[in-house]
Amino acid sequence: MNTRIIESAPGAYQYPLLIKQLLLSGQRYAPGGEIVSGAHRYDYRQLSQRIARLANVLTEAGIGAGDTVAVLDWDSHRYLEAYFAVPMIGAVLHHVNVRLSIDQIGYTMQHAEDKLVLVHDDFLPIVEQLVDQLPTVQGYIQLNDGEASGRATFETLGEYEVLLAAAEVSYDFPDFDENSVATTFYTTGTTGNPKGVYFSHRQLVLHTLATATTLAAFDGVPLLRSEDVYMPMTPMFHVHAWGIPYVATLLGVKQVYPGRYEPNRLVRLYREEGVTFSHGVPTVLQMILNSEEAESTDLSRWKLMTGGAAPTEALVRKMSERGIRFYTGYGMSETCPILTISHLSPAQAQLSMEEQIALRMRTGVPLPLVELRLMDDVGNPVAADDLSVGEVQVRTPWLTQGYLREPEKGAELWQGGWLHTGDVASINADGVIQIRDRMKDVIKTGGEWISSLLLESLISKHPAVANVAVVGVPDPRWDERPLAMIVPAEGAEVDADQIKAHLMQYVDSGQINKWAIPEQIRVVDSIPVTSVGKLDKKRIRAQLAGQF
Amino acid sequence: MNTRIIESAPGAYQYPLLIKQLLLSGQRYAPGGEIVSGAHRYDYRQLSQRIARLANVLTEAGIGAGDTVAVLDWDSHRYLEAYFAVPMIGAVLHHVNVRLSIDQIGYTMQHAEDKLVLVHDDFLPIVEQLVDQLPTVQGYIQLNDGEASGRATFETLGEYEVLLAAAEVSYDFPDFDENSVATTFYTTGTTGNPKGVYFSHRQLVLHTLATATTLAAFDGVPLLRSEDVYMPMTPMFHVHAWGIPYVATLLGVKQVYPGRYEPNRLVRLYREEGVTFSHGVPTVLQMILNSEEAESTDLSRWKLMTGGAAPTEALVRKMSERGIRFYTGYGMSETCPILTISHLSPAQAQLSMEEQIALRMRTGVPLPLVELRLMDDVGNPVAADDLSVGEVQVRTPWLTQGYLREPEKGAELWQGGWLHTGDVASINADGVIQIRDRMKDVIKTGGEWISSLLLESLISKHPAVANVAVVGVPDPRWDERPLAMIVPAEGAEVDADQIKAHLMQYVDSGQINKWAIPEQIRVVDSIPVTSVGKLDKKRIRAQLAGQF
């Protein structure tokens, strides 16, 4: 298109979007705002100085533009400083997922070509096993929480705080192309090696601005404003801790970094530091609610955003009983991550908490600048009836533009110019999204999609059902049909006809279509699960294969 | 710098920042949110449809990418629709300043090469006089407020609402380069022709996001959140109405467009439509406070942002007496416009309103992504003592990259890679800016700068002074020295020594330096003023020239 683009006047500065600019406002609006982490407690002026010191340490360690710096740490002020200092010198921050297997950690550190490694003493045993397999690594810096440093069996440059204390307090951070990679980390599927995603300065700045606007401006999502106190409960190696440390720093809010997650300590920090906003996966929130400290603590000041997996109704009910204001977010490693957040309209906010629960559990409304569509099998948008499902496809300014050194996999992710999330969702008349399934688990029947998760959820409401899995099995006429495997509750009996009759009530209430009811319902003794206790649909399908 | 830039995977979509994306979230979060303008009242779904209809009308009128569309209108829903539709088809929106002289209006329309003109009936007399001097214009569309259209003596394509009603309700808005020019308008100095500034899609999106974050997230600037009701009182032809219509649309808030400003009607709209947030220059706010309707109306729901000129203390005091929460913003045509907004820390917000007044009148704190520095004569940053002054120089992602077809003037604006505002300011220890003078009026003495405005303000506190002007006059030793001209109050007598003694108290209290006291203080009968009643320093200096 022949739009008008005017050449800039001589000298005109074309301002690039760089992570260093996210540091400007926090210290201006709240120079005395605190960063709290273990025994460390300092303000935003000192945060800027420490970031400059870290940049000097990195530079002296031989790190330059384009090099990759790996971090293996718990949630800490050091991680926050690395979120800024590493990209600000033009280098790439690799958040190493310390929960992967040692082989996978080794693979990701080799694949990312890490040059310097910041490693917490707790992870020295991992690095010790890998140290001979990391030819690109030229140095290690030790991190610890105030005790004497652990003894590394390999050579290190020294301890983080000691190195920072010896470094110059200022650094002239350069400007450069906003499309420079700032961060990278790895996402694991069920098969194959972890895949590296990557995000640029521009992408992180825009994710920060859109998230900041959403969390602050919409009274139905009143999660984070300047007088809040923030404590992450999502690991900082997990998709930028959902990007919130950047938002919090932009606003100058008090930030509390809790180290290794220990439920009682998290609740104590909440209480003693005046925390008002946190986020975490359902498992972490469940651990907190079950902790001893939580029993004796008023949790009603806490605003919690959950995501990463669907929260159970039991968890959500318990949060609401404790007076916690909770919301659901949705996103993935490939999306920086935030795409949607659940939202209450002013009228909905007047409903009883019982009525609000379903609304707060929904996947939510897309953020500003997020284009999101739900596409069926033949590439048409699905009806906004909350019943029809389609794949979630997105465009926003903060999506990974591929996988690190795997262009074919990137091309698959980006088929047709939209990022394919692999998630299947419905949308209601109010435009609110609900994730229903993963693409690979959805049952494709007669050109329509049936959510296996929805069927599982409805079947499990039957009192005689202890466990259930629904998978698609080949069908000559409909391509696929759902098949349900059911484990009866102890001492109970159940048969296929009872389940079909049970499901009919959801047909009557409009939650499923009649053709979603499985013809085949098998009562079994047990259902294969993965090592973390999830239904293992791959194995279930393999068991069933050959039977059709 | 050799940062890492990775080629995108095949098919990966590189999301450009385009104005059309600002429309996404409002209708998702608040589909039923209202736009009110004269007899028109419609919701965000209809806003999108009307923007599509306008795009079809423009396209049918022969407007394509790169063409310029001029608007001469009061603040209206039509202007809001043009803010979106014109840039969204790749064309350029020219906000014509209808307050310029007819010659200047003609000059700007010729210089911008307007191709289509949307003109309100009230401005038909202007266009009628210009119609033969606008060779680039190929068509006119008439705008009116519900009465039968005025009779134009030239041919038009028809009336806006009639054309919209006949147009298709959907439009496939294309994506294009985010650096495409979206808007243009003209700024007038004291000499020479008006100069055209221009802003790209990228710049407007970033200005919107940073402003939205600031107005929503900082409790010390709680101006605009999703449940607010917005009514501009800055003309929409004046620097995008400070960019707030874009912010309001992003949030989906109720928007009220008041047409031609009539103080009593503005207050009625405030009362009847539930307005909570407006902005305007001090003159407009003064008119409103003086209106009859204001006397009988509770104004304490109103949050007002003022800017464009320094508010007088009398105005600010009156606003605070009426319970209005007011803030000051700072920016200029060249800067999109917002650079700073006054801000109260939580502690300051607890002060009495009397104590808050000075804080709320200050120029304020720079927004996120705004780099702002105060530079003295020799290019050094001034001390943060609120006494030293320097020129305000800025970098942000939303600054005009030059003047339309005047690269030399653009180069002057952008000397050294920083936009030179021509304003002189001080900064205090809290990082809060205060504009003190215009560069051309500041007095440069012995390598230091003295604010003429500050001296005038301090001298005018003397009870015997009715009017005062301070200008710099040449001095062989100090380059310049301040000279004060004083008109005594009726019946009062005053001499130079009294004024010098009066000024000594401000030296003692640290508000000025001793060397700022003028040696020359002249008592005169009158001081030259401009046609709008401002001190005419150009004429004062000319009168004094030759005497030294």
Side-chain angles (χ1 to χ4, degrees):
Chain A
M1 269 186 77
N2 205 10
T3 56
R4 189 176 325 178
I5 295 176
I6 302 179
E7 204 186 332
S8 297
Y13 187 70
Q14 293 180 50
Y15 197 89
L17 300 176
L18 297 174
I19 284 172
K20 71 172 178 178
Q21 293 145 359
L22 300 178
L23 266 181
L24 289 170
S25 53
Q27 56 187 318
R28 290 195 295 227
Y29 279 98
E34 282 183 310
I35 313 291
V36 180
S37 169
H40 294 267
R41 185 179 296 266
Y42 56 80
D43 68 20
Y44 272 72
R45 284 171 289 233
Q46 289 165 295
L47 173 64
S48 283
Q49 289 171 359
R50 289 178 57 94
I51 288 168
R53 286 178 189 271
L54 176 54
N56 282 310
V57 169
L58 297 171
T59 304
E60 280 159 36
I63 296 300
D67 292 333
T68 301
V69 176
V71 176
L72 292 84
D73 195 5
W74 308 113
D75 286 10
S76 71
H77 64 296
R78 299 173 296 260
Y79 228 135
L80 178 68
E81 289 158 10
Y83 267 41
F84 285 91
V86 175
M88 281 165 65
I89 64 169
V92 178
L93 176 66
H94 174 194
H95 315 104
V96 178
N97 184 343
V98 294
R99 294 207 186 127
L100 297 182
S101 71
I102 195 153
D103 285 354
Q104 285 178 317
I105 292 176
Y107 172 84
T108 64
M109 294 180 72
Q110 289 158 9
H111 190 265
E113 299 177 335
D114 296 336
K115 193 166 169 188
L116 181 72
V117 181
L118 278 58
V119 51
H120 188 281
D121 282 359
D122 288 353
F123 308 114
L124 283 179
I126 294 174
V127 174
E128 275 162 9
Q129 288 185 62
L130 293 172
V131 75
D132 295 331
Q133 304 163 39
L134 301 172
T136 56
V137 175
Q138 296 177 7
Y140 295 88
I141 291 175
Q142 274 187 269
L143 318 176
N144 68 46
D145 293 312
E147 310 87 19
S149 284
R151 292 180 67 125
T153 57
F154 51 91
E155 203 185 339
T156 75
L157 300 170
E159 194 275 327
Y160 186 90
E161 294 293 342
V162 174
L163 293 170
L164 250 65
E168 285 292 324
V169 74
S170 71
Y171 192 101
D172 189 15
F173 291 103
D175 286 4
F176 43 76
D177 189 327
E178 67 186 26
N179 295 306
S180 301
V181 177
T183 65
T184 189
F185 52 90
Y186 286 76
T187 172
T188 49
T190 44
T191 56
N193 282 319
K195 300 190 293 266
V197 297
Y198 50 91
F199 297 93
S200 69
H201 284 256
R202 169 185 165 107
Q203 291 176 324
L204 283 162
V205 169
L206 290 168
H207 183 269
T208 302
L209 287 174
T211 304
T213 297
T214 305
L215 295 182
F218 294 104
D219 280 336
V221 192
L223 287 174
L224 189 55
R225 290 170 175 168
S226 63
E227 299 317 313
D228 277 301
V229 176
Y230 167 60
M231 178 172 74
M233 302 194 303
T234 306
M236 296 180 80
F237 56 75
H238 187 215
V239 210
H240 315 112
W242 302 357
I244 311 297
Y246 288 121
V247 176
T249 305
L250 181 95
L251 300 186
V253 304
K254 177 173 173 181
Q255 303 185 47
V256 181
Y257 288 90
R260 182 176 192 157
Y261 295 165
E262 201 283 298
N264 285 313
R265 193 175 61 240
L266 289 170
V267 175
R268 272 198 304 277
L269 284 170
Y270 156 80
R271 203 174 52 218
E272 291 164 8
E273 299 293 346
V275 171
T276 61
F277 172 52
S278 297
H279 49 77
V281 294
T283 322
V284 168
L285 303 191
Q286 187 69 64
M287 275 170 27
I288 283 169
L289 286 172
N290 292 345
S291 72
E292 232 172 88
E293 287 280 353
E295 274 173 42
S296 56
T297 302
D298 174 6
L299 303 178
S300 66
R301 189 184 63 228
W302 222 340
K303 297 177 285 182
L304 286 176
M305 183 162 75
T306 192
T312 64
E313 201 175 311
L315 170 63
V316 164
R317 200 164 292 282
K318 192 153 180 195
M319 286 198 283
S320 87
E321 280 163 16
R322 298 301 308 269
I324 294 170
R325 278 166 292 165
F326 60 93
Y327 296 84
T328 306
Y330 165 64
M332 52 201 295
S333 296
E334 286 81 350
T335 64
C336 200
I338 304 184
L339 295 175
T340 75
I341 297 176
S342 62
H343 167 261
L344 300 182
S345 69
Q348 290 168 335
Q350 301 303 315
L351 298 173
S352 70
M353 187 47 82
E354 185 60 31
E355 292 170 290
Q356 287 185 26
I357 284 179
L359 302 169
R360 290 171 179 269
M361 281 177 71
R362 281 191 77 99
T363 310
V365 178
L367 262 59
L369 302 193
V370 174
E371 292 182 56
L372 187 151
R373 64 184 199 183
L374 304 181
M375 302 300 272
D376 70 14
D377 235 1
V378 290
N380 289 322
V382 304
D385 56 9
D386 213 23
L387 193 63
S388 312
V389 291
E391 191 190 14
V392 180
Q393 300 179 2
V394 287
R395 285 179 167 179
T396 86
W398 51 79
L399 307 176
T400 189
Q401 296 289 293
Y403 293 110
L404 213 54
R405 296 195 272 117
E406 303 197 86
E408 328 71 41
K409 287 184 184 160
E412 207 176 302
L413 179 71
W414 275 105
Q415 260 179 66
W418 288 76
L419 186 144
H420 291 246
T421 62
D423 286 317
V424 168
S426 65
I427 183 167
N428 69 15
D430 293 334
V432 185
I433 314 294
Q434 180 61 52
I435 299 294
R436 299 291 183 184
D437 215 337
R438 287 291 296 166
M439 268 299 266
K440 59 181 167 43
D441 295 331
V442 84
I443 297 147
K444 293 164 185 167
T445 188
E448 302 288 342
W449 291 355
I450 299 172
S451 161
S452 63
L453 293 183
L454 180 60
L455 278 181
E456 286 162 3
S457 155
L458 297 177
I459 291 172
S460 70
K461 287 179 194 269
H462 191 287
V465 171
N467 198 6
V468 55
V470 176
V471 296
V473 292
D475 181 274
R477 182 162 177 202
W478 303 109
D479 288 337
E480 280 190 340
R481 288 296 300 155
L483 177 150
M485 295 172 80
I486 290 169
V487 179
E490 194 149 329
E493 279 189 29
V494 64
D495 64 25
D497 286 344
Q498 285 172 312
I499 297 300
K500 289 178 191 173
H502 167 75
L503 286 174
M504 271 309 292
Q505 66 179 297
Y506 304 112
V507 175
D508 294 342
S509 65
Q511 288 182 70
I512 50 171
N513 282 303
K514 186 144 188 265
W515 42 260
I517 297 180
E519 289 84 20
Q520 300 198 56
I521 298 178
R522 300 190 180 181
V523 179
V524 296
D525 291 337
S526 70
I527 296 173
V529 293
T530 66
S531 59
V532 295
K534 286 186 177 174
L535 293 174
D536 190 342
K537 296 208 174 168
K538 229 173 117 195
R539 253 169 76 208
I540 296 170
R541 277 187 290 257
Q543 281 185 3
L544 293 169
Q547 300 185 18
F548 301 91
Chain B
M1 270 186 75
N2 205 11
T3 57
R4 191 178 320 180
I5 296 177
I6 301 179
E7 202 185 333
S8 297
Y13 187 71
Q14 293 180 50
Y15 198 90
L17 300 176
L18 297 175
I19 283 173
K20 70 172 178 176
Q21 292 145 359
L22 300 178
L23 266 181
L24 288 171
S25 53
Q27 56 187 317
R28 289 197 294 228
Y29 279 98
E34 282 183 310
I35 312 293
V36 180
S37 170
H40 294 267
R41 185 180 294 267
Y42 57 78
D43 69 21
Y44 272 72
R45 282 171 291 233
Q46 287 165 297
L47 173 64
S48 283
Q49 290 171 359
R50 289 178 56 94
I51 288 168
R53 286 179 190 272
L54 175 54
N56 282 309
V57 168
L58 298 171
T59 305
E60 281 159 35
I63 296 301
D67 291 333
T68 300
V69 176
V71 175
L72 293 85
D73 195 6
W74 307 112
D75 286 10
S76 70
H77 64 296
R78 299 174 296 261
Y79 226 135
L80 178 67
E81 290 158 8
Y83 267 42
F84 285 91
V86 175
M88 282 165 66
I89 65 168
V92 179
L93 177 66
H94 174 195
H95 315 105
V96 178
N97 186 343
V98 294
R99 294 211 186 124
L100 298 181
S101 71
I102 196 152
D103 284 353
Q104 286 179 316
I105 292 175
Y107 172 84
T108 65
M109 293 179 72
Q110 288 158 6
H111 190 264
E113 299 178 334
D114 297 336
K115 193 164 168 188
L116 180 72
V117 180
L118 277 59
V119 52
H120 189 280
D121 282 359
D122 287 354
F123 307 114
L124 284 178
I126 294 174
V127 174
E128 274 161 10
Q129 287 186 63
L130 294 173
V131 74
D132 294 332
Q133 305 165 38
L134 301 172
T136 57
V137 174
Q138 296 179 7
Y140 295 88
I141 290 175
Q142 275 187 268
L143 318 175
N144 68 47
D145 293 314
E147 312 86 19
S149 284
R151 291 180 68 128
T153 57
F154 51 92
E155 203 185 342
T156 75
L157 299 169
E159 193 275 327
Y160 186 89
E161 294 292 342
V162 174
L163 293 170
L164 250 63
E168 285 291 325
V169 73
S170 72
Y171 193 101
D172 190 14
F173 290 103
D175 286 4
F176 43 76
D177 189 330
E178 66 186 28
N179 296 307
S180 302
V181 177
T183 64
T184 191
F185 50 90
Y186 286 76
T187 174
T188 49
T190 43
T191 55
N193 281 319
K195 300 190 291 273
V197 295
Y198 50 92
F199 297 93
S200 69
H201 284 256
R202 171 188 164 104
Q203 291 175 326
L204 284 161
V205 168
L206 290 168
H207 183 269
T208 302
L209 287 174
T211 304
T213 297
T214 306
L215 295 183
F218 294 103
D219 280 336
V221 192
L223 286 175
L224 189 55
R225 290 172 175 165
S226 63
E227 301 316 313
D228 277 301
V229 175
Y230 166 60
M231 178 171 75
M233 302 192 305
T234 306
M236 295 180 80
F237 57 75
H238 186 217
V239 212
H240 314 112
W242 301 357
I244 311 297
Y246 287 122
V247 176
T249 305
L250 181 94
L251 299 186
V253 304
K254 177 174 173 180
Q255 303 185 50
V256 180
Y257 287 90
R260 182 176 192 155
Y261 295 166
E262 200 284 297
N264 286 313
R265 193 174 62 239
L266 290 170
V267 176
R268 271 198 303 277
L269 283 171
Y270 157 80
R271 202 173 53 217
E272 290 165 9
E273 299 294 344
V275 171
T276 61
F277 172 52
S278 296
H279 49 76
V281 294
T283 322
V284 167
L285 303 190
Q286 188 68 65
M287 274 169 30
I288 282 169
L289 287 173
N290 293 343
S291 72
E292 230 173 90
E293 286 281 351
E295 275 173 43
S296 56
T297 302
D298 173 6
L299 303 179
S300 66
R301 189 184 62 227
W302 222 341
K303 296 177 285 184
L304 286 177
M305 183 163 75
T306 192
T312 64
E313 200 175 312
L315 170 63
V316 163
R317 201 165 292 281
K318 190 151 180 196
M319 285 199 282
S320 86
E321 280 163 16
R322 297 302 309 267
I324 293 170
R325 279 166 291 166
F326 60 94
Y327 296 85
T328 307
Y330 165 64
M332 51 202 293
S333 297
E334 285 81 351
T335 65
C336 199
I338 304 184
L339 295 174
T340 76
I341 298 176
S342 62
H343 168 260
L344 299 183
S345 70
Q348 291 169 335
Q350 302 303 315
L351 297 173
S352 70
M353 186 47 82
E354 185 59 33
E355 293 170 291
Q356 287 184 27
I357 284 179
L359 301 169
R360 290 172 179 269
M361 281 177 73
R362 281 191 78 98
T363 310
V365 179
L367 263 57
L369 302 193
V370 174
E371 291 181 58
L372 186 152
R373 64 185 199 183
L374 304 182
M375 303 299 274
D376 71 13
D377 235 2
V378 290
N380 289 323
V382 304
D385 58 8
D386 215 22
L387 193 63
S388 312
V389 292
E391 190 190 15
V392 181
Q393 301 179 3
V394 287
R395 286 180 165 178
T396 87
W398 51 79
L399 306 176
T400 190
Q401 295 289 294
Y403 293 110
L404 214 53
R405 295 196 271 116
E406 302 196 86
E408 326 72 42
K409 288 184 183 159
E412 205 174 304
L413 180 71
W414 274 105
Q415 258 178 70
W418 288 77
L419 186 143
H420 292 244
T421 62
D423 286 318
V424 169
S426 65
I427 181 168
N428 69 14
D430 293 334
V432 185
I433 314 294
Q434 181 62 54
I435 299 294
R436 299 290 183 186
D437 216 337
R438 288 290 296 165
M439 270 297 269
K440 58 180 170 39
D441 295 331
V442 85
I443 298 147
K444 292 164 187 169
T445 187
E448 303 286 341
W449 292 356
I450 299 172
S451 162
S452 64
L453 294 183
L454 179 60
L455 278 181
E456 286 162 5
S457 157
L458 297 178
I459 292 171
S460 70
K461 286 178 195 271
H462 191 287
V465 171
N467 199 6
V468 55
V470 176
V471 296
V473 292
D475 182 273
R477 181 159 176 208
W478 303 109
D479 289 335
E480 282 189 341
R481 287 296 301 154
L483 177 150
M485 297 173 77
I486 289 170
V487 180
E490 195 148 333
E493 278 190 29
V494 63
D495 65 26
D497 287 341
Q498 285 172 310
I499 295 299
K500 288 178 191 172
H502 166 76
L503 284 174
M504 270 309 291
Q505 65 180 298
Y506 304 113
V507 175
D508 295 340
S509 65
Q511 286 182 73
I512 51 172
N513 283 302
K514 186 145 188 262
W515 41 260
I517 297 181
E519 290 82 20
Q520 300 199 56
I521 297 178
R522 302 189 178 182
V523 179
V524 296
D525 292 336
S526 69
I527 296 173
V529 292
T530 65
S531 58
V532 294
K534 285 185 180 176
L535 293 174
D536 190 342
K537 297 210 173 167
K538 233 174 113 191
R539 252 169 75 207
I540 297 170
R541 278 188 289 258
Q543 282 186 4
L544 293 170
Q547 301 186 19
F548 301 91

